[in-house]
Amino acid sequence: QVQLLESGGGLVQAGGSLRLSCAASGRTFSSCAMGWFRQAPGKEREFVAAISWSGGNTDYTDSVNGRFIISRDNAKNTVYLQMNSLKPEDTAVYYCAARYAPISSWIYRTQVEYAYWGQGTQVTVSS
């Protein structure tokens, strides 16, 4: 069982930066592939970024590639999402997700592949 708690959301002006954190409980965090998803008002939840449990592999949706960076610290049971050059269209509730991965390099892009979810943190980008 893995429990996830996101933090770091808030209100920021366009062009600004935020860093989201997702703290995980459980002894097997280091064997979990992690992902960030987001849901904007009136839209479906979408994939943002993913990282393997080794930290060696990452993936991003096209709209954030080059602006967002996903990383993890297995010693602190925490995954991060550094968001730079924020745009109003990045406004959404951001969710952290986790799943056990049999191979250290594997990453996952779809919601159905993740077993554990946080409650979400609101990110609002003003124009």
Side-chain angles (χ1 to χ4, degrees):
Q1 191 78 7
V2 179
Q3 293 183 327
L4 304 172
L5 182 63
E6 303 96 334
S7 62
L11 174 64
V12 63
Q13 289 187 334
S17 297
L18 281 175
R19 188 176 82 157
L20 305 183
S21 298
C22 174
S25 64
R27 297 176 296 174
T28 55
F29 172 78
S30 59
S31 298
C32 285
M34 303 295 295
W36 286 97
F37 292 77
R38 68 185 179 186
Q39 187 168 20
K43 296 186 177 181
E44 294 186 352
R45 191 157 57 182
E46 64 174 357
F47 168 77
V48 176
I51 188 167
S52 61
W53 63 254
S54 70
N57 277 4
T58 58
D59 193 19
Y60 302 88
T61 192
D62 288 346
S63 63
V64 308
N65 201 15
R67 299 188 297 122
F68 291 11
I69 300 172
I70 188 171
S71 62
R72 65 189 296 157
D73 185 338
N74 287 343
K76 295 183 178 180
N77 281 13
T78 302
V79 64
Y80 305 97
L81 185 67
Q82 177 67 44
M83 306 186 295
N84 302 318
S85 302
L86 282 161
K87 304 176 181 180
E89 51 263 43
D90 294 317
T91 294
V93 177
Y94 283 71
Y95 297 91
C96 174
R99 63 154 292 155
Y100 296 114
I103 304 296
S104 63
S105 60
W106 286 6
I107 54 177
Y108 303 86
R109 294 176 57 94
T110 63
Q111 298 179 57
V112 294
E113 295 179 291
Y114 286 90
Y116 306 104
W117 292 83
Q119 294 298 310
T121 184
Q122 175 71 47
V123 172
T124 303
V125 184
S126 63
S127 58

